[in-house]
Amino acid sequence: MSTTYEDETMDLGLTNSATTIDPNVVQSRILQSASLSKEQHRDAMMEDGDDDNDIATGPNAVVQPEFKRLSAAAARGGRSEYRRVRCPAHRYTPLRDNWEQILMPLVEYLKLQVRFNTRTRCVEMKTSQHTEDSGALQKGADFVAAFMLGFEVQDAVALLRLDDLYIESFQVTDVKLLRGDHLSRAVGRIAGQDGKTRFAIENATRTRIVIADTRIHMLGSYANIRVARNAICDLILGAPPGKVYNNMRNVAKRMNERY
């Protein structure tokens, strides 16, 4: 009997020592867990929101409405849009020869409806229910207009793939008022022998240049067009091609180091 009583006393003692908890310790642990939960909630809110200023918290917080993105057809109000690009007489044959290459990116990539009006000699484009991009019609018009100015299809199609390409045009007489043989020599300095000068400017500035009589068309980014325009203006003003080559060599070296 004595052995059993002692065992029960030991069990009770162990039980009492294990279950006895200090209330101050419990309160501190509760406060610590509450502060940790607040920190975790604050960190989760900062990670979820890209803009912390737009996230409103609290009982009187106003929830910002979320709207679904409009499709291209809904943005137009269900109406079809049109663009018409006129074909010059000297570009009619190249357009006929490259018609399939021009048609493929307009129809398959931009999802536009395209036709050539033989009566008015214009390329007509129209949006359809399959057009996904709201700016597809303007991109297509820029692409066709670049081809009409004299650029190759492979160069003009870059306008559809890249957003930072532009076309700039100006007359030779806008830089300096020239007439007769002086004007012809200025155009010859821009082109160079067998197009050597034009190719050098194109390769150095990563642009494409078209010389149509006394009109110059340039295709490229804004910064590259500016460098090419400065070189062409120097040639028009009478700078020797050797000096322009040297400047182009320095420009090409800087651009290669930049990229």
Side-chain angles (χ1 to χ4, degrees):
M1 290 292 294
S2 60
T3 307
T4 307
Y5 180 77
E6 291 176 357
D7 294 342
E8 290 177 358
T9 305
M10 292 175 63
D11 293 338
L12 289 174
L14 290 173
T15 305
N16 291 334
S17 62
T19 56
T20 302
I21 301 175
D22 190 0
N24 295 328
V25 175
V26 173
Q27 187 176 3
S28 64
R29 289 180 179 177
I30 291 174
L31 294 175
Q32 185 179 5
S33 62
S35 62
L36 290 175
S37 63
K38 286 182 180 179
E39 284 187 19
Q40 292 176 358
H41 180 69
R42 185 166 57 251
D43 294 340
M45 294 290 289
M46 292 177 65
E47 290 178 359
D48 293 340
D50 294 333
D51 191 359
D52 296 340
N53 297 327
D54 295 340
I55 298 176
T57 57
N60 298 327
V62 178
V63 180
Q64 296 292 335
E66 295 182 0
F67 301 100
K68 294 182 179 180
R69 183 177 179 181
L70 288 176
S71 62
R76 296 190 302 268
R79 299 188 302 271
S80 298
E81 296 181 354
Y82 300 86
R83 287 290 189 280
R84 181 180 296 172
V85 181
R86 186 170 181 81
C87 178
H90 68 282
R91 297 298 291 173
Y92 185 73
T93 301
L95 178 66
R96 183 177 56 190
D97 296 338
N98 298 281
W99 178 247
E100 292 184 0
Q101 301 178 21
I102 296 173
L103 201 64
M104 184 181 66
L106 293 176
V107 175
E108 296 184 2
Y109 178 66
L110 297 179
K111 304 294 190 299
L112 297 175
Q113 296 179 354
V114 187
R115 72 172 184 178
F116 181 75
N117 193 332
T118 56
R119 184 174 59 85
T120 59
R121 289 204 171 187
C122 295
V123 178
E124 299 176 352
M125 289 166 285
K126 173 186 174 184
T127 58
S128 64
Q129 59 182 354
H130 304 288
T131 305
E132 301 173 356
D133 187 6
S134 58
L137 190 62
Q138 185 61 45
K139 288 182 179 179
D142 294 340
F143 165 64
V144 177
F147 179 79
M148 297 304 179
L149 292 177
F151 293 100
E152 297 290 336
V153 179
Q154 293 80 4
D155 298 332
V157 78
L159 291 169
L160 304 180
R161 297 184 291 105
L162 303 175
D163 294 332
D164 59 342
L165 293 184
Y166 306 95
I167 296 177
E168 183 174 339
S169 303
F170 66 93
Q171 293 275 0
V172 175
T173 54
D174 295 340
V175 181
K176 186 177 182 181
L177 192 59
L178 300 172
R179 294 187 180 88
D181 294 339
H182 299 286
L183 181 60
S184 302
R185 282 194 292 268
V187 174
R189 284 195 299 270
I190 298 172
Q193 185 178 3
D194 298 330
K196 180 181 176 183
T197 306
R198 180 173 68 90
F199 290 145
I201 297 175
E202 286 182 348
N203 295 331
T205 59
R206 298 178 183 177
T207 57
R208 289 294 177 266
I209 300 172
V210 171
I211 303 173
D213 196 15
T214 61
R215 194 164 187 83
I216 312 297
H217 308 289
M218 295 178 293
L219 169 65
S221 64
Y222 179 79
N224 295 345
I225 286 178
R226 182 181 60 183
V227 176
R229 183 179 63 243
N230 292 337
I232 293 175
C233 291
D234 291 341
L235 291 170
I236 294 173
L237 294 174
K243 184 177 181 180
V244 176
Y245 287 157
N246 190 21
N247 294 336
M248 289 297 100
R249 193 179 300 110
N250 296 332
V251 168
K253 184 178 179 180
R254 287 199 302 268
M255 295 184 73
N256 290 332
E257 291 176 355
R258 183 185 307 172
Y259 295 103

Short mmCIF file of all heavy atoms in Angstrom, two decimals, residues 60-97:
data_model
loop_
_atom_site.label_atom_id
_atom_site.label_comp_id
_atom_site.label_asym_id
_atom_site.label_seq_id
_atom_site.Cartn_x
_atom_site.Cartn_y
_atom_site.Cartn_z
N ASN A 60 -13.09 51.76 -43.07
CA ASN A 60 -13.72 52.71 -44.00
C ASN A 60 -13.00 52.79 -45.33
O ASN A 60 -13.10 53.79 -46.04
CB ASN A 60 -13.74 54.11 -43.36
CG ASN A 60 -14.55 54.15 -42.08
OD1 ASN A 60 -15.55 53.42 -41.96
ND2 ASN A 60 -14.13 54.98 -41.13
N ALA A 61 -12.25 51.74 -45.66
CA ALA A 61 -11.48 51.75 -46.90
C ALA A 61 -12.42 51.62 -48.10
O ALA A 61 -13.41 50.88 -48.06
CB ALA A 61 -10.48 50.62 -46.92
N VAL A 62 -12.10 52.34 -49.17
CA VAL A 62 -12.88 52.30 -50.41
C VAL A 62 -12.18 51.35 -51.37
O VAL A 62 -10.99 51.53 -51.69
CB VAL A 62 -13.00 53.70 -51.03
CG1 VAL A 62 -13.78 53.62 -52.34
CG2 VAL A 62 -13.68 54.64 -50.05
N VAL A 63 -12.88 50.35 -51.81
CA VAL A 63 -12.31 49.36 -52.72
C VAL A 63 -12.36 49.91 -54.14
O VAL A 63 -13.41 50.35 -54.62
CB VAL A 63 -13.09 48.03 -52.64
CG1 VAL A 63 -12.50 47.00 -53.60
CG2 VAL A 63 -13.06 47.51 -51.21
N GLN A 64 -11.18 49.92 -54.81
CA GLN A 64 -11.11 50.43 -56.17
C GLN A 64 -11.76 49.43 -57.12
O GLN A 64 -11.51 48.22 -57.04
CB GLN A 64 -9.66 50.65 -56.58
CG GLN A 64 -8.94 51.72 -55.77
CD GLN A 64 -9.50 53.09 -56.06
OE1 GLN A 64 -10.06 53.34 -57.12
NE2 GLN A 64 -9.36 54.01 -55.10
N PRO A 65 -12.60 49.90 -58.05
CA PRO A 65 -13.22 48.96 -59.00
C PRO A 65 -12.21 48.46 -60.02
O PRO A 65 -11.27 49.16 -60.39
CB PRO A 65 -14.30 49.82 -59.67
CG PRO A 65 -13.80 51.22 -59.54
CD PRO A 65 -13.05 51.28 -58.24
N GLU A 66 -12.39 47.26 -60.45
CA GLU A 66 -11.54 46.65 -61.47
C GLU A 66 -12.38 46.38 -62.71
O GLU A 66 -13.41 45.71 -62.64
CB GLU A 66 -10.93 45.35 -60.95
CG GLU A 66 -9.98 45.54 -59.78
CD GLU A 66 -9.35 44.24 -59.33
OE1 GLU A 66 -9.68 43.20 -59.96
OE2 GLU A 66 -8.57 44.25 -58.37
N PHE A 67 -11.93 46.93 -63.84
CA PHE A 67 -12.65 46.77 -65.10
C PHE A 67 -11.87 45.84 -66.02
O PHE A 67 -10.64 45.87 -66.04
CB PHE A 67 -12.84 48.13 -65.79
CG PHE A 67 -13.61 49.12 -64.95
CD1 PHE A 67 -12.95 50.11 -64.25
CD2 PHE A 67 -14.98 49.05 -64.86
CE1 PHE A 67 -13.63 51.02 -63.47
CE2 PHE A 67 -15.69 49.96 -64.09
CZ PHE A 67 -15.02 50.94 -63.39
N LYS A 68 -12.57 45.08 -66.77
CA LYS A 68 -11.94 44.20 -67.74
C LYS A 68 -11.42 45.00 -68.92
O LYS A 68 -11.97 46.05 -69.27
CB LYS A 68 -12.95 43.15 -68.24
CG LYS A 68 -13.40 42.18 -67.17
CD LYS A 68 -14.35 41.14 -67.74
CE LYS A 68 -14.79 40.15 -66.68
NZ LYS A 68 -15.73 39.14 -67.23
N ARG A 69 -10.36 44.49 -69.51
CA ARG A 69 -9.77 45.18 -70.65
C ARG A 69 -10.68 45.07 -71.87
O ARG A 69 -11.17 43.98 -72.18
CB ARG A 69 -8.40 44.58 -70.98
CG ARG A 69 -7.67 45.29 -72.10
CD ARG A 69 -6.32 44.69 -72.32
NE ARG A 69 -5.61 45.35 -73.42
CZ ARG A 69 -4.41 45.01 -73.84
NH1 ARG A 69 -3.77 44.01 -73.26
NH2 ARG A 69 -3.84 45.66 -74.84
N LEU A 70 -10.88 46.20 -72.54
CA LEU A 70 -11.74 46.20 -73.72
C LEU A 70 -11.01 45.57 -74.90
O LEU A 70 -9.81 45.75 -75.09
CB LEU A 70 -12.14 47.63 -74.08
CG LEU A 70 -13.14 48.33 -73.16
CD1 LEU A 70 -13.35 49.76 -73.63
CD2 LEU A 70 -14.46 47.59 -73.12
N SER A 71 -11.75 44.85 -75.69
CA SER A 71 -11.19 44.31 -76.92
C SER A 71 -11.11 45.42 -77.97
O SER A 71 -11.66 46.51 -77.80
CB SER A 71 -12.05 43.15 -77.43
OG SER A 71 -13.36 43.59 -77.71
N ALA A 72 -10.42 45.11 -79.07
CA ALA A 72 -10.28 46.11 -80.12
C ALA A 72 -11.63 46.46 -80.74
O ALA A 72 -11.91 47.62 -81.05
CB ALA A 72 -9.31 45.61 -81.19
N ALA A 73 -12.49 45.45 -80.92
CA ALA A 73 -13.81 45.70 -81.50
C ALA A 73 -14.67 46.54 -80.56
O ALA A 73 -15.40 47.44 -81.00
CB ALA A 73 -14.49 44.37 -81.82
N ALA A 74 -14.58 46.28 -79.25
CA ALA A 74 -15.37 47.05 -78.30
C ALA A 74 -14.86 48.48 -78.19
O ALA A 74 -15.64 49.42 -78.00
CB ALA A 74 -15.34 46.38 -76.94
N ALA A 75 -13.55 48.67 -78.30
CA ALA A 75 -13.00 50.03 -78.24
C ALA A 75 -13.45 50.87 -79.44
O ALA A 75 -13.58 52.08 -79.34
CB ALA A 75 -11.48 49.96 -78.18
N ARG A 76 -13.66 50.23 -80.58
CA ARG A 76 -14.15 50.95 -81.76
C ARG A 76 -15.64 51.17 -81.73
O ARG A 76 -16.19 51.82 -82.63
CB ARG A 76 -13.77 50.19 -83.04
CG ARG A 76 -12.30 50.08 -83.30
CD ARG A 76 -12.05 49.53 -84.70
NE ARG A 76 -12.68 48.24 -84.89
CZ ARG A 76 -12.08 47.07 -84.69
NH1 ARG A 76 -10.83 47.05 -84.26
NH2 ARG A 76 -12.71 45.93 -84.89
N GLY A 77 -16.34 50.62 -80.75
CA GLY A 77 -17.78 50.75 -80.69
C GLY A 77 -18.50 49.86 -81.68
O GLY A 77 -19.64 50.16 -82.05
N GLY A 78 -17.86 48.78 -82.11
CA GLY A 78 -18.48 47.87 -83.06
C GLY A 78 -18.40 48.31 -84.51
O GLY A 78 -18.91 47.62 -85.40
N ARG A 79 -17.77 49.46 -84.76
CA ARG A 79 -17.66 49.97 -86.13
C ARG A 79 -16.32 49.54 -86.73
O ARG A 79 -15.34 49.34 -86.02
CB ARG A 79 -17.78 51.50 -86.16
CG ARG A 79 -19.10 52.03 -85.64
CD ARG A 79 -19.19 53.53 -85.91
NE ARG A 79 -18.10 54.24 -85.29
CZ ARG A 79 -18.13 54.72 -84.05
NH1 ARG A 79 -19.20 54.54 -83.30
NH2 ARG A 79 -17.09 55.37 -83.56
N SER A 80 -16.28 49.47 -88.04
CA SER A 80 -15.05 49.13 -88.76
C SER A 80 -14.34 50.42 -89.17
O SER A 80 -14.98 51.41 -89.52
CB SER A 80 -15.37 48.31 -90.00
OG SER A 80 -15.97 47.07 -89.65
N GLU A 81 -13.02 50.38 -89.11
CA GLU A 81 -12.20 51.53 -89.49
C GLU A 81 -11.49 51.23 -90.80
O GLU A 81 -11.18 50.07 -91.10
CB GLU A 81 -11.19 51.85 -88.39
CG GLU A 81 -11.83 52.29 -87.09
CD GLU A 81 -10.80 52.62 -86.03
OE1 GLU A 81 -9.59 52.40 -86.30
OE2 GLU A 81 -11.18 53.10 -84.94
N TYR A 82 -11.19 52.27 -91.55
CA TYR A 82 -10.59 52.14 -92.87
C TYR A 82 -9.34 52.99 -92.96
O TYR A 82 -9.21 54.02 -92.31
CB TYR A 82 -11.58 52.57 -93.98
CG TYR A 82 -12.87 51.78 -94.03
CD1 TYR A 82 -13.95 52.14 -93.24
CD2 TYR A 82 -12.99 50.68 -94.87
CE1 TYR A 82 -15.14 51.42 -93.28
CE2 TYR A 82 -14.17 49.95 -94.92
CZ TYR A 82 -15.24 50.33 -94.11
OH TYR A 82 -16.40 49.61 -94.16
N ARG A 83 -8.43 52.55 -93.80
CA ARG A 83 -7.27 53.35 -94.18
C ARG A 83 -7.03 53.12 -95.68
O ARG A 83 -7.25 52.03 -96.19
CB ARG A 83 -6.01 52.95 -93.41
CG ARG A 83 -5.99 53.35 -91.96
CD ARG A 83 -5.83 54.85 -91.78
NE ARG A 83 -5.59 55.16 -90.38
CZ ARG A 83 -6.52 55.24 -89.45
NH1 ARG A 83 -7.78 55.01 -89.78
NH2 ARG A 83 -6.21 55.54 -88.19
N ARG A 84 -6.58 54.18 -96.32
CA ARG A 84 -6.33 54.11 -97.77
C ARG A 84 -4.97 54.75 -98.04
O ARG A 84 -4.72 55.89 -97.65
CB ARG A 84 -7.43 54.83 -98.53
CG ARG A 84 -7.28 54.79 -100.04
CD ARG A 84 -8.42 55.54 -100.71
NE ARG A 84 -9.69 54.90 -100.44
CZ ARG A 84 -10.87 55.43 -100.77
NH1 ARG A 84 -10.92 56.63 -101.33
NH2 ARG A 84 -11.99 54.77 -100.51
N VAL A 85 -4.10 54.00 -98.71
CA VAL A 85 -2.76 54.47 -99.05
C VAL A 85 -2.64 54.47 -100.56
O VAL A 85 -2.82 53.42 -101.20
CB VAL A 85 -1.67 53.58 -98.42
CG1 VAL A 85 -0.29 54.10 -98.77
CG2 VAL A 85 -1.84 53.51 -96.90
N ARG A 86 -2.34 55.62 -101.13
CA ARG A 86 -2.26 55.75 -102.58
C ARG A 86 -0.94 55.21 -103.09
O ARG A 86 0.12 55.38 -102.46
CB ARG A 86 -2.43 57.21 -102.99
CG ARG A 86 -2.49 57.42 -104.49
CD ARG A 86 -2.89 58.83 -104.83
NE ARG A 86 -2.97 59.02 -106.27
CZ ARG A 86 -4.01 58.66 -107.01
NH1 ARG A 86 -5.05 58.09 -106.44
NH2 ARG A 86 -4.01 58.87 -108.32
N CYS A 87 -0.98 54.54 -104.22
CA CYS A 87 0.20 53.96 -104.84
C CYS A 87 0.69 54.88 -105.95
O CYS A 87 -0.03 55.15 -106.92
CB CYS A 87 -0.12 52.57 -105.40
SG CYS A 87 1.28 51.78 -106.24
N PRO A 88 1.93 55.39 -105.86
CA PRO A 88 2.47 56.23 -106.95
C PRO A 88 2.66 55.41 -108.23
O PRO A 88 2.69 54.17 -108.20
CB PRO A 88 3.80 56.74 -106.39
CG PRO A 88 3.74 56.50 -104.93
CD PRO A 88 2.86 55.32 -104.72
N ALA A 89 2.79 56.11 -109.32
CA ALA A 89 2.91 55.42 -110.61
C ALA A 89 4.18 54.58 -110.68
O ALA A 89 4.17 53.47 -111.24
CB ALA A 89 2.86 56.44 -111.75
N HIS A 90 5.27 55.07 -110.11
CA HIS A 90 6.53 54.34 -110.22
C HIS A 90 6.63 53.17 -109.24
O HIS A 90 7.58 52.38 -109.31
CB HIS A 90 7.72 55.29 -109.99
CG HIS A 90 7.81 55.81 -108.58
ND1 HIS A 90 7.00 56.82 -108.11
CD2 HIS A 90 8.62 55.46 -107.55
CE1 HIS A 90 7.31 57.07 -106.85
NE2 HIS A 90 8.29 56.26 -106.49
N ARG A 91 5.65 53.03 -108.31
CA ARG A 91 5.66 51.90 -107.37
C ARG A 91 4.58 50.87 -107.68
O ARG A 91 4.39 49.92 -106.92
CB ARG A 91 5.44 52.42 -105.95
CG ARG A 91 6.51 53.34 -105.44
CD ARG A 91 7.86 52.65 -105.37
NE ARG A 91 7.91 51.64 -104.34
CZ ARG A 91 8.92 50.80 -104.14
NH1 ARG A 91 9.97 50.84 -104.96
NH2 ARG A 91 8.90 49.91 -103.18
N TYR A 92 3.91 51.04 -108.82
CA TYR A 92 2.84 50.10 -109.17
C TYR A 92 3.41 48.72 -109.51
O TYR A 92 2.91 47.70 -109.03
CB TYR A 92 2.03 50.66 -110.35
CG TYR A 92 0.84 49.83 -110.72
CD1 TYR A 92 -0.29 49.82 -109.91
CD2 TYR A 92 0.83 49.05 -111.87
CE1 TYR A 92 -1.40 49.05 -110.24
CE2 TYR A 92 -0.27 48.28 -112.22
CZ TYR A 92 -1.39 48.28 -111.40
OH TYR A 92 -2.47 47.52 -111.72
N THR A 93 4.46 48.68 -110.30
CA THR A 93 5.07 47.39 -110.66
C THR A 93 5.71 46.70 -109.46
O THR A 93 5.51 45.49 -109.25
CB THR A 93 6.09 47.59 -111.78
OG1 THR A 93 5.42 48.16 -112.92
CG2 THR A 93 6.72 46.27 -112.18
N PRO A 94 6.52 47.40 -108.62
CA PRO A 94 7.03 46.72 -107.42
C PRO A 94 5.93 46.23 -106.49
O PRO A 94 6.07 45.17 -105.86
CB PRO A 94 7.89 47.80 -106.74
CG PRO A 94 8.28 48.72 -107.84
CD PRO A 94 7.12 48.73 -108.78
N LEU A 95 4.82 46.97 -106.40
CA LEU A 95 3.71 46.52 -105.56
C LEU A 95 3.11 45.23 -106.09
O LEU A 95 2.78 44.32 -105.33
CB LEU A 95 2.65 47.62 -105.47
CG LEU A 95 1.39 47.30 -104.67
CD1 LEU A 95 1.74 47.12 -103.19
CD2 LEU A 95 0.34 48.39 -104.83
N ARG A 96 2.97 45.15 -107.40
CA ARG A 96 2.41 43.94 -108.00
C ARG A 96 3.36 42.75 -107.82
O ARG A 96 2.91 41.63 -107.56
CB ARG A 96 2.15 44.19 -109.49
CG ARG A 96 1.50 43.02 -110.22
CD ARG A 96 1.23 43.41 -111.65
NE ARG A 96 2.47 43.84 -112.31
CZ ARG A 96 2.51 44.43 -113.50
NH1 ARG A 96 1.37 44.68 -114.14
NH2 ARG A 96 3.66 44.79 -114.04
N ASP A 97 4.67 42.99 -107.90
CA ASP A 97 5.62 41.89 -107.75
C ASP A 97 5.73 41.41 -106.30
O ASP A 97 5.99 40.22 -106.07
CB ASP A 97 7.00 42.33 -108.25
CG ASP A 97 6.99 42.63 -109.75
OD1 ASP A 97 6.09 42.13 -110.45
OD2 ASP A 97 7.87 43.40 -110.20
#
